[in-house]
């Protein structure tokens, strides 16, 4: 039976809200398939505003892959702003997709991609607007299966009550497999109802279904055990890894937004994974091993993406894009191809020790020289050893001096505050480093027209990293250090005006820390915050630290216990039954190495140091060089 669009009810509300264009759909390369021609239907959600969600690569890739499948349909939905939420409740308009404006509750699956834990309350808003019970145990056979994915799904325990399932790792292949399980179950007449479908998904070991696992606790609150509560369910659920990225050259037809978004460019992921071993970086740990796209596939994706979208900027994405083994050839080939056109190239993620001027010149050949961004992360040499960010002060000064001497005038430096073992002196070292950068630029150019922006975020210990046992620095200490750093920069008459300073206070980091390392008991806090009006917690103008603390107190959750407390080696962590491939003992030894300020090399270029991923996942590091050239060689 066809499902009716709700647009005729929504349209009357749009003149009353800000940015109504974000709700109308119809973007170039969007897809609206016939409802009755599909027997498996996905609603894909990024739990934030359209302007943040539309550029998300994960959702865009799954949207294309699923819509390419026969008899499968995928549409997108995003979080609605509070002004439209209020009107939707008043006029009984349900959560809708932007493609067909179909009610989300009519779909078989609601797949939610979490880049950050601060989107949890937005998911609850969407569920409630859709008419889907918030608690998974209360859902019936007519409700969609709610599946969480993305980096935050590597510890889905805080939202275990609200989701039916979670998927760890790469989504390309598992989304197809899930579709086939649902198709088969529906074709058989839905035997056993919702419970049987979830059991079929769980039995494979590739989908985590929280209801099939019981958690028991020690009297002091620590977890005693997480164990399956029925036969056939695996003790550990493993992440998914796509090994041949060339087989998955998505997105092929990038969505072109109607409203302004945070990134307006065509993005090509040139490799996946990172083995640099930065101890704070969850993304680098959970996406191992390194798998590179070939130079020829990158070239074909760029050419096709520009043709299909009309974007005039191409971003070559990865966790550290300049680490691609053929990045020089990629840069030169693309610069040759698009020289003299209005197409510009960017490398959004660059390490200090992987950067070189030749590379930068290739990417700015069309005359567009935006500022350069580097991330030393720690303000002192000692701190960078702790976090395994093997960048020396000499490396940084040498790199920025070369950049300034080649015509760049603006450099942005990114750091973190609140790192394990950090002292006041480590943070004040950021000011000294920034001043040295300005001085080096002045000496290299003979000009005082040199700028450096220092940007600082609060550190949050994440699951599946060596710092998963670390105590988080409290918000008051972080804020005090940030203020001292601000004073050190502002009060310097020689350099102060040349240095910009941007920072986030320590309060959102504490809430993110509560959610990132929380267990199932934290779900009560999330629900209480949402019921109290919590929305868009990733936006400073909507975030309320006091609300989170008050709600945690109301439901009996000790925020400090989850955040600033250091864990012991043998403590059962909420995510220990979810396998990212990393050997737990290796992570613990790397945590001890951090405390002892010992560095670990990148295993791409050195012998294996036994993190566990390759043997555990049946994978291997895949890097070039291939010796191939970017084709065709003709200039556009």
């Amino acid at each position: 039976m066809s499902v009716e669009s709700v647009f005729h009810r929504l349209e009357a509300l749009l003149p009353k809200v800000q940015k109504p264009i974000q709700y109308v759909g119809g973007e170039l390369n969007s897809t609206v398939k016939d409802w009755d021609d599909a027997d498996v239907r996905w609603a894909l959600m990024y739990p934030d505003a359209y302007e943040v969600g539309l550029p998300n690569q994960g959702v865009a890739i799954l949207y294309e892959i699923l819509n390419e499948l026969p008899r499968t349909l995928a549409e997108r939905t995003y979080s609605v702003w509070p002004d439209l939420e209020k009107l939707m409740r008043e006029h009984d308009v349900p959560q809708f997709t932007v493609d067909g404006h179909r009610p989300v509750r009519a779909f078989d699956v609601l797949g939610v991609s979490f880049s950050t834990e601060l989107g949890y309350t937005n998911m609850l808003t969407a569920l409630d607007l859709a008419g889907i019970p918030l608690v998974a145990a209360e859902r019936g056979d007519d409700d969609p299966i709610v599946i969480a994915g993305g980096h935050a799904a590597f510890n889905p325990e805080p939202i275990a009550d609200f989701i039916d399932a979670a998927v760890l790792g790469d989504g390309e292949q598992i989304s197809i497999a899930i579709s086939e399980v649902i198709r088969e179950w529906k074709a058989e007449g839905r035997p056993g109802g919702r419970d049987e479908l979830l059991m079929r998904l769980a039995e494979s070991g590739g989908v985590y279904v929280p209801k099939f696992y019981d958690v028991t606790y020690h009297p002091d609150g620590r977890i005693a055990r997480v164990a399956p509560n029925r036969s056939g369910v695996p003790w550990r659920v493993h992440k998914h890894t796509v090994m041949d990225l060339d087989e998955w050259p998505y997105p092929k037809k990038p969505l072109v937004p109607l409203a302004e978004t945070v990134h307006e460019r065509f993005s090509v992921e040139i490799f996946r994974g990172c083995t640099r071993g930065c101890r704070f970086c969850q993304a680098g740990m959970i996406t191992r091993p390194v798998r590179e796209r070939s130079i020829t596939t990158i070239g074909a994706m760029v050419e096709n993406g520009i043709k299909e979208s009309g974007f005039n900027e191409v971003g070559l994405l990865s966790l550290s894009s300049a680490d691609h083994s053929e990045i020089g050839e990629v840069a030169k080939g693309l610069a040759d191809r698009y020289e003299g056109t209005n197409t510009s190239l960017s490398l959004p993620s660059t390490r200090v020790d992987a950067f070189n001027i030749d590379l930068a010149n290739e990417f700015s050949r069309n005359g567009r020289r935006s500022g350069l961004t580097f991330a030393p992360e720690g303000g002192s040499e000692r701190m960078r050893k702790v976090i395994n960010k093997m960048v020396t002060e000499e490396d940084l000064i040498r790199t920025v001096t070369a950049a300034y001497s080649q015509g760049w005038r603006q450099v942005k430096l990114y750091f973190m505050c609140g790192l394990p073992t950090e002292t006041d002196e480590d943070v004040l070292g950021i000011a000294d480093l920034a001043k040295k950068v300005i001085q080096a630029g002045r000496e290299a150019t003979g000009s005082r027209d040199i700028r450096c922006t220092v940007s600082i975020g609060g550190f949050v210990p994440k699951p599946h990293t060596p710092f998963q046992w670390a105590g988080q620095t409290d918000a008051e200490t972080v804020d005090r250090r940030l203020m001292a750093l601000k004073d050190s920069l502002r009060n310097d008459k020689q350099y102060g005006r040349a240095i910009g300073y941007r920072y986030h206070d320590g309060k959102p980091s504490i809430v993110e820390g509560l959610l990132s390392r929380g267990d199932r008991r934290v779900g009560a806090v999330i629900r209480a915050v949402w019921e109290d009006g919590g929305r868009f917690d990733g936006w400073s103008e909507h975030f309320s630290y006091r609300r989170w603390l008050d709600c945690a107190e109301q439901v009996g959750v000790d925020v400090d216990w989850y955040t600033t407390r250091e864990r012991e080696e043998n403590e059962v962590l909420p995510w220990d039954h979810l396998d990212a491939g990393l050997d737990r003992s290796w992570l613990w030894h790397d945590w001890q190495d951090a405390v002892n300020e010992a560095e670990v090399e990148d295993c791409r270029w050195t012998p294996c140091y036994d993190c566990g991923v390759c043997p555990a996942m049946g994978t291997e590091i895949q890097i070039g060089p291939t010796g191939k050239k970017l084709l065709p060689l003709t200039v556009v």
Side-chain angles (χ1 to χ4, degrees):
M1 182 184 297
S2 292
V3 170
E4 184 182 353
S5 165
V6 301
F7 189 72
H8 63 287
R9 292 151 62 192
L10 173 69
E11 189 176 15
L13 308 181
L14 296 183
K16 304 175 184 178
V17 302
Q18 290 187 319
K19 299 182 182 178
I21 190 69
Q22 65 188 307
Y23 305 118
V24 302
E27 304 97 336
L28 179 65
N29 295 325
S30 62
T31 302
V32 181
K33 298 176 77 171
D34 188 289
W35 185 266
D36 294 329
D37 284 346
D39 45 32
V40 177
R41 305 174 183 97
W42 288 70
L44 299 173
M45 181 180 194
Y46 190 85
D48 208 323
Y50 175 94
E51 62 200 84
V52 179
L54 185 130
N56 180 260
Q57 283 282 93
V59 171
I61 289 169
L62 294 185
Y63 178 71
E64 275 196 40
I65 288 172
L66 291 167
N67 277 319
E68 283 184 357
L69 295 176
R71 303 198 63 77
T72 303
L73 171 157
E75 299 190 7
R76 297 162 294 128
T77 186
Y78 304 104
S79 296
V80 299
W81 284 108
D83 58 354
L84 183 58
E85 180 193 342
K86 182 174 182 290
L87 289 169
M88 287 169 66
R89 293 187 185 282
E90 290 173 358
H91 296 270
D92 197 29
V93 176
Q95 180 78 23
F96 56 88
T97 60
V98 295
D99 298 291
H101 294 95
R102 290 154 171 159
V104 165
R105 188 171 182 265
F107 289 76
D108 298 305
V109 184
L110 173 59
V112 190
S113 180
F114 291 104
S115 297
T116 168
E117 297 83 0
L118 293 175
Y120 290 161
T121 50
N122 281 356
M123 177 185 68
L124 296 190
T125 302
L127 290 173
D128 191 54
L129 285 172
I132 301 169
L134 294 186
V135 178
E138 297 173 1
R139 292 175 195 146
D141 290 350
D142 292 334
D143 291 306
I145 300 295
V146 180
I147 303 179
H151 286 184
F154 275 79
N155 176 26
E157 292 302 277
I159 53 171
D161 287 346
F162 313 123
I163 62 172
D164 295 291
V167 170
L168 279 60
D170 300 334
E172 289 93 336
Q173 293 161 323
I174 186 61
S175 62
I176 296 174
I178 290 170
S179 298
E180 290 310 307
V181 170
I182 295 171
R183 190 186 324 277
E184 189 175 288
W185 171 75
K186 290 177 73 175
E188 293 172 7
R190 304 175 183 241
R194 185 183 195 86
D195 201 64
E196 169 67 19
L197 174 57
L198 291 173
M199 188 63 191
R200 292 186 186 190
L201 292 172
E203 283 175 329
S204 66
V207 178
Y208 173 55
V209 179
K211 70 177 285 186
F212 296 151
Y213 295 80
D214 290 335
V215 184
T216 54
Y217 302 93
H218 291 296
D220 64 2
R222 291 177 300 120
I223 294 173
R225 194 170 83 138
V226 180
N229 55 30
R230 63 176 72 189
S231 62
V233 176
W235 280 82
R236 285 171 69 77
V237 178
H238 308 288
K239 77 166 182 178
H240 298 272
T241 304
V242 170
M243 283 308 298
D244 190 348
L245 294 184
D246 284 352
E247 288 185 356
W248 303 88
Y250 295 89
K252 298 174 182 176
K253 293 187 174 184
L255 290 159
V256 180
L258 296 178
E260 185 179 1
T261 58
V262 291
H263 299 302
E264 300 203 347
R265 64 188 177 209
F266 173 52
S267 298
V268 175
E269 187 182 24
I270 62 174
F271 72 90
R272 195 172 290 180
C274 182
T275 46
R276 286 282 191 167
C278 299
R279 294 176 174 125
F280 58 84
C281 182
Q282 184 190 46
M285 294 289 172
I286 64 177
T287 60
R288 295 179 178 204
V290 170
R291 293 143 286 150
E292 291 187 350
R293 274 205 168 99
S294 69
I295 185 171
T296 48
T297 300
I298 293 168
M301 289 180 69
V302 171
E303 182 179 35
N304 181 71
I306 291 172
K307 180 182 73 175
E308 294 288 347
S309 69
F311 281 120
N312 60 8
E313 181 183 346
V314 177
L316 302 185
L317 303 188
S318 80
L319 292 174
S320 181
S321 298
D323 281 344
H324 191 287
S325 60
E326 294 183 302
I327 191 61
E329 291 83 355
V330 171
K332 185 178 187 310
L334 290 174
D336 286 345
R337 179 185 287 178
Y338 297 105
E339 186 170 14
T341 71
N342 69 342
T343 299
S344 65
L345 307 169
S346 64
L347 207 64
S349 173
T350 311
R351 284 179 61 102
V352 172
D353 48 353
F355 175 87
N356 64 71
I357 289 298
D358 290 340
L359 189 61
N361 284 335
E362 294 289 8
F363 279 99
S364 61
R365 206 194 289 179
N366 269 348
R368 301 184 187 184
R369 287 201 170 186
S370 55
L372 296 170
T373 300
F374 301 107
E377 310 288 1
S380 66
E381 202 88 15
R382 185 194 76 80
M383 203 68 253
R384 290 191 289 276
K385 287 181 179 178
V386 169
I387 63 178
N388 205 46
K389 189 85 175 188
M390 292 178 283
V391 175
T392 66
E393 185 177 299
E394 291 72 27
D395 289 334
L396 179 62
I397 298 302
R398 182 171 58 249
T399 298
V400 297
T401 298
Y404 285 132
S405 66
Q406 290 291 312
W408 274 271
R409 291 292 176 266
Q410 173 74 30
V411 168
K412 182 177 179 181
L413 302 178
Y414 182 79
F415 298 90
M416 285 188 288
C417 183
L419 290 160
T421 79
E422 180 185 272
T423 66
D424 293 2
E425 289 69 31
D426 291 317
V427 176
L428 290 174
I430 295 171
D432 296 334
L433 200 53
K435 294 169 189 177
K436 289 175 182 176
V437 164
I438 294 295
Q439 183 57 35
R442 289 174 177 175
E443 291 175 359
T445 62
S447 168
R448 295 183 67 83
D449 182 26
I450 296 295
R451 292 281 300 168
C452 169
T453 299
V454 171
S455 181
I456 305 189
F459 167 69
V460 180
K462 294 283 186 174
H464 307 285
T465 71
F467 289 158
Q468 65 183 2
W469 290 279
Q472 188 171 351
T473 306
D474 63 85
E476 293 73 23
T477 300
V478 169
D479 289 347
R480 178 178 56 77
R481 287 174 179 166
L482 291 173
M483 287 299 101
L485 175 58
K486 181 179 180 180
D487 291 342
S488 178
L489 291 170
R490 290 286 178 267
N491 296 337
D492 192 301
K493 294 179 181 177
Q494 186 177 2
Y495 299 106
R497 290 187 177 181
I499 301 173
Y501 183 52
R502 298 176 185 171
Y503 65 93
H504 302 285
D505 64 47
K507 297 179 180 65
S509 298
I510 289 293
V511 172
E512 190 178 342
L514 169 70
L515 300 177
S516 70
R517 291 195 292 174
D519 53 40
R520 295 186 181 186
R521 294 168 291 191
V522 172
V525 185
I526 298 169
R527 180 162 186 169
V529 167
W530 175 78
E531 289 174 342
D532 193 52
R535 307 286 192 275
F536 289 94
D537 287 293
W539 296 68
S540 57
E541 59 266 44
H542 294 277
F543 174 79
S544 169
Y545 186 57
R546 177 45 53 193
R547 175 188 284 137
W548 279 93
L549 292 189
D550 288 349
C551 288
E553 186 176 0
Q554 287 168 18
V555 299
V557 167
D558 183 344
V559 173
D560 289 344
W561 192 84
Y562 283 99
T563 56
T564 58
R565 177 179 67 91
E566 186 169 320
R567 280 69 165 165
E568 297 294 329
E569 180 182 6
N570 61 356
E571 179 172 340
V572 176
L573 302 174
W575 51 90
D576 275 347
H577 58 298
L578 304 173
D579 185 12
L582 296 151
D583 185 75
R584 196 180 195 272
S585 62
W586 177 81
L587 286 171
W588 175 262
H589 288 306
D590 205 40
W591 167 225
Q592 302 312 298
D593 283 343
V595 174
N596 295 321
E597 300 168 23
E599 296 172 313
V600 176
E601 295 291 331
D602 185 341
C603 67
R604 264 173 293 191
W605 323 115
T606 62
C608 173
Y609 50 80
D610 297 324
C611 75
V613 168
C614 292
M617 299 280 115
T619 58
E620 61 181 352
I621 291 172
Q622 293 182 346
I623 57 172
T626 63
K628 296 181 180 179
K629 297 294 181 188
L630 195 68
L631 298 173
L633 296 176
T634 52
V635 176
V636 173

